[in-house]
PDB file of all heavy atoms in Angstrom:
ATOM      1  N   PHE U 317      -4.499  18.794 -28.858  1.00 93.00           N
ATOM      2  CA  PHE U 317      -5.306  17.652 -28.421  1.00 93.00           C
ATOM      3  C   PHE U 317      -5.180  16.539 -29.454  1.00 93.00           C
ATOM      4  O   PHE U 317      -5.423  16.752 -30.641  1.00 93.00           O
ATOM      5  CB  PHE U 317      -6.756  18.092 -28.272  1.00 93.00           C
ATOM      6  CG  PHE U 317      -7.700  16.971 -28.003  1.00 93.00           C
ATOM      7  CD1 PHE U 317      -7.764  16.402 -26.748  1.00 93.00           C
ATOM      8  CD2 PHE U 317      -8.518  16.482 -29.005  1.00 93.00           C
ATOM      9  CE1 PHE U 317      -8.635  15.361 -26.495  1.00 93.00           C
ATOM     10  CE2 PHE U 317      -9.387  15.440 -28.753  1.00 93.00           C
ATOM     11  CZ  PHE U 317      -9.443  14.885 -27.498  1.00 93.00           C
ATOM     12  N   THR U 318      -4.781  15.340 -29.023  1.00 95.00           N
ATOM     13  CA  THR U 318      -4.669  14.210 -29.939  1.00 95.00           C
ATOM     14  C   THR U 318      -5.304  12.960 -29.352  1.00 95.00           C
ATOM     15  O   THR U 318      -5.389  12.796 -28.134  1.00 95.00           O
ATOM     16  CB  THR U 318      -3.194  13.877 -30.289  1.00 95.00           C
ATOM     17  OG1 THR U 318      -2.492  13.560 -29.103  1.00 95.00           O
ATOM     18  CG2 THR U 318      -2.521  15.025 -30.995  1.00 95.00           C
ATOM     19  N   LEU U 319      -5.727  12.096 -30.236  1.00 97.00           N
ATOM     20  CA  LEU U 319      -6.227  10.771 -29.890  1.00 97.00           C
ATOM     21  C   LEU U 319      -5.126   9.792 -30.253  1.00 97.00           C
ATOM     22  O   LEU U 319      -4.667   9.778 -31.403  1.00 97.00           O
ATOM     23  CB  LEU U 319      -7.502  10.462 -30.674  1.00 97.00           C
ATOM     24  CG  LEU U 319      -8.047   9.049 -30.580  1.00 97.00           C
ATOM     25  CD1 LEU U 319      -8.515   8.760 -29.156  1.00 97.00           C
ATOM     26  CD2 LEU U 319      -9.175   8.845 -31.553  1.00 97.00           C
ATOM     27  N   LEU U 320      -4.659   9.010 -29.287  1.00 96.00           N
ATOM     28  CA  LEU U 320      -3.560   8.075 -29.509  1.00 96.00           C
ATOM     29  C   LEU U 320      -4.087   6.649 -29.583  1.00 96.00           C
ATOM     30  O   LEU U 320      -4.863   6.221 -28.729  1.00 96.00           O
ATOM     31  CB  LEU U 320      -2.530   8.170 -28.375  1.00 96.00           C
ATOM     32  CG  LEU U 320      -1.422   7.117 -28.394  1.00 96.00           C
ATOM     33  CD1 LEU U 320      -0.456   7.391 -29.537  1.00 96.00           C
ATOM     34  CD2 LEU U 320      -0.702   7.054 -27.084  1.00 96.00           C
ATOM     35  N   MET U 321      -3.650   5.933 -30.616  1.00 97.00           N
ATOM     36  CA  MET U 321      -3.887   4.497 -30.745  1.00 97.00           C
ATOM     37  C   MET U 321      -2.517   3.858 -30.895  1.00 97.00           C
ATOM     38  O   MET U 321      -1.739   4.272 -31.753  1.00 97.00           O
ATOM     39  CB  MET U 321      -4.768   4.204 -31.947  1.00 97.00           C
ATOM     40  CG  MET U 321      -6.171   4.760 -31.793  1.00 97.00           C
ATOM     41  SD  MET U 321      -7.143   4.647 -33.288  1.00 97.00           S
ATOM     42  CE  MET U 321      -6.518   6.052 -34.187  1.00 97.00           C
ATOM     43  N   GLU U 322      -2.217   2.884 -30.039  1.00 97.00           N
ATOM     44  CA  GLU U 322      -0.865   2.321 -30.019  1.00 97.00           C
ATOM     45  C   GLU U 322      -0.924   0.815 -29.824  1.00 97.00           C
ATOM     46  O   GLU U 322      -1.666   0.313 -28.992  1.00 97.00           O
ATOM     47  CB  GLU U 322      -0.089   2.974 -28.872  1.00 97.00           C
ATOM     48  CG  GLU U 322       1.353   2.561 -28.765  1.00 97.00           C
ATOM     49  CD  GLU U 322       2.032   3.271 -27.613  1.00 97.00           C
ATOM     50  OE1 GLU U 322       2.429   4.433 -27.786  1.00 97.00           O
ATOM     51  OE2 GLU U 322       2.146   2.657 -26.541  1.00 97.00           O
ATOM     52  N   GLY U 323      -0.116   0.112 -30.590  1.00 96.00           N
ATOM     53  CA  GLY U 323       0.055  -1.328 -30.433  1.00 96.00           C
ATOM     54  C   GLY U 323       1.503  -1.624 -30.098  1.00 96.00           C
ATOM     55  O   GLY U 323       2.410  -1.040 -30.691  1.00 96.00           O
ATOM     56  N   THR U 324       1.725  -2.526 -29.135  1.00 95.00           N
ATOM     57  CA  THR U 324       3.087  -2.824 -28.685  1.00 95.00           C
ATOM     58  C   THR U 324       3.299  -4.326 -28.534  1.00 95.00           C
ATOM     59  O   THR U 324       2.730  -4.932 -27.631  1.00 95.00           O
ATOM     60  CB  THR U 324       3.361  -2.142 -27.326  1.00 95.00           C
ATOM     61  OG1 THR U 324       3.060  -0.763 -27.411  1.00 95.00           O
ATOM     62  CG2 THR U 324       4.805  -2.329 -26.902  1.00 95.00           C
ATOM     63  N   PRO U 325       4.114  -4.925 -29.406  1.00 96.00           N
ATOM     64  CA  PRO U 325       4.554  -6.287 -29.109  1.00 96.00           C
ATOM     65  C   PRO U 325       5.553  -6.201 -27.949  1.00 96.00           C
ATOM     66  O   PRO U 325       6.479  -5.395 -27.994  1.00 96.00           O
ATOM     67  CB  PRO U 325       5.227  -6.754 -30.390  1.00 96.00           C
ATOM     68  CG  PRO U 325       5.275  -5.587 -31.306  1.00 96.00           C
ATOM     69  CD  PRO U 325       4.577  -4.444 -30.686  1.00 96.00           C
ATOM     70  N   MET U 326       5.316  -6.992 -26.900  1.00 93.00           N
ATOM     71  CA  MET U 326       6.123  -6.891 -25.676  1.00 93.00           C
ATOM     72  C   MET U 326       6.676  -8.246 -25.267  1.00 93.00           C
ATOM     73  O   MET U 326       6.017  -9.261 -25.418  1.00 93.00           O
ATOM     74  CB  MET U 326       5.276  -6.373 -24.509  1.00 93.00           C
ATOM     75  CG  MET U 326       4.838  -4.973 -24.651  1.00 93.00           C
ATOM     76  SD  MET U 326       3.980  -4.284 -23.223  1.00 93.00           S
ATOM     77  CE  MET U 326       3.662  -5.599 -22.135  1.00 93.00           C
ATOM     78  N   TYR U 327       7.859  -8.187 -24.700  1.00 93.00           N
ATOM     79  CA  TYR U 327       8.463  -9.378 -24.105  1.00 93.00           C
ATOM     80  C   TYR U 327       8.697  -9.077 -22.634  1.00 93.00           C
ATOM     81  O   TYR U 327       9.327  -8.089 -22.283  1.00 93.00           O
ATOM     82  CB  TYR U 327       9.790  -9.733 -24.791  1.00 93.00           C
ATOM     83  CG  TYR U 327      10.424 -10.951 -24.193  1.00 93.00           C
ATOM     84  CD1 TYR U 327       9.920 -12.213 -24.483  1.00 93.00           C
ATOM     85  CD2 TYR U 327      11.497 -10.856 -23.326  1.00 93.00           C
ATOM     86  CE1 TYR U 327      10.484 -13.345 -23.925  1.00 93.00           C
ATOM     87  CE2 TYR U 327      12.065 -11.983 -22.770  1.00 93.00           C
ATOM     88  CZ  TYR U 327      11.549 -13.224 -23.076  1.00 93.00           C
ATOM     89  OH  TYR U 327      12.097 -14.342 -22.501  1.00 93.00           O
ATOM     90  N   SER U 328       8.160  -9.917 -21.781  1.00 86.00           N
ATOM     91  CA  SER U 328       8.381  -9.765 -20.338  1.00 86.00           C
ATOM     92  C   SER U 328       9.208 -10.942 -19.843  1.00 86.00           C
ATOM     93  O   SER U 328       9.609 -11.795 -20.622  1.00 86.00           O
ATOM     94  CB  SER U 328       7.050  -9.684 -19.593  1.00 86.00           C
ATOM     95  OG  SER U 328       6.376 -10.914 -19.671  1.00 86.00           O
ATOM     96  N   ALA U 329       9.407 -10.994 -18.550  1.00 77.00           N
ATOM     97  CA  ALA U 329      10.211 -12.058 -17.962  1.00 77.00           C
ATOM     98  C   ALA U 329       9.573 -13.432 -18.163  1.00 77.00           C
ATOM     99  O   ALA U 329      10.263 -14.445 -18.100  1.00 77.00           O
ATOM    100  CB  ALA U 329      10.415 -11.789 -16.476  1.00 77.00           C
ATOM    101  N   TYR U 330       8.274 -13.475 -18.419  1.00 77.00           N
ATOM    102  CA  TYR U 330       7.575 -14.760 -18.489  1.00 77.00           C
ATOM    103  C   TYR U 330       7.064 -15.136 -19.875  1.00 77.00           C
ATOM    104  O   TYR U 330       6.958 -16.298 -20.202  1.00 77.00           O
ATOM    105  CB  TYR U 330       6.386 -14.766 -17.523  1.00 77.00           C
ATOM    106  CG  TYR U 330       6.799 -14.482 -16.110  1.00 77.00           C
ATOM    107  CD1 TYR U 330       6.429 -13.312 -15.479  1.00 77.00           C
ATOM    108  CD2 TYR U 330       7.593 -15.375 -15.403  1.00 77.00           C
ATOM    109  CE1 TYR U 330       6.812 -13.048 -14.179  1.00 77.00           C
ATOM    110  CE2 TYR U 330       7.994 -15.120 -14.109  1.00 77.00           C
ATOM    111  CZ  TYR U 330       7.599 -13.948 -13.504  1.00 77.00           C
ATOM    112  OH  TYR U 330       7.992 -13.683 -12.228  1.00 77.00           O
ATOM    113  N   ASP U 331       6.704 -14.140 -20.714  1.00 87.00           N
ATOM    114  CA  ASP U 331       6.101 -14.488 -21.991  1.00 87.00           C
ATOM    115  C   ASP U 331       6.156 -13.329 -22.981  1.00 87.00           C
ATOM    116  O   ASP U 331       6.618 -12.239 -22.677  1.00 87.00           O
ATOM    117  CB  ASP U 331       4.653 -14.934 -21.798  1.00 87.00           C
ATOM    118  CG  ASP U 331       3.789 -13.867 -21.124  1.00 87.00           C
ATOM    119  OD1 ASP U 331       4.322 -12.803 -20.778  1.00 87.00           O
ATOM    120  OD2 ASP U 331       2.597 -14.108 -20.954  1.00 87.00           O
ATOM    121  N   PHE U 332       5.660 -13.597 -24.183  1.00 92.00           N
ATOM    122  CA  PHE U 332       5.550 -12.602 -25.240  1.00 92.00           C
ATOM    123  C   PHE U 332       4.080 -12.251 -25.382  1.00 92.00           C
ATOM    124  O   PHE U 332       3.234 -13.141 -25.479  1.00 92.00           O
ATOM    125  CB  PHE U 332       6.090 -13.188 -26.549  1.00 92.00           C
ATOM    126  CG  PHE U 332       5.993 -12.235 -27.702  1.00 92.00           C
ATOM    127  CD1 PHE U 332       6.926 -11.233 -27.861  1.00 92.00           C
ATOM    128  CD2 PHE U 332       4.965 -12.350 -28.622  1.00 92.00           C
ATOM    129  CE1 PHE U 332       6.837 -10.352 -28.921  1.00 92.00           C
ATOM    130  CE2 PHE U 332       4.875 -11.473 -29.682  1.00 92.00           C
ATOM    131  CZ  PHE U 332       5.809 -10.467 -29.837  1.00 92.00           C
TER     132      PHE U 332
END
Side-chain angles (χ1 to χ4, degrees):
F317 172 76
T318 60
L319 172 66
L320 172 72
M321 294 171 280
E322 183 179 279
T324 307
M326 292 186 350
Y327 180 76
S328 67
Y330 303 112
D331 58 358
F332 179 80

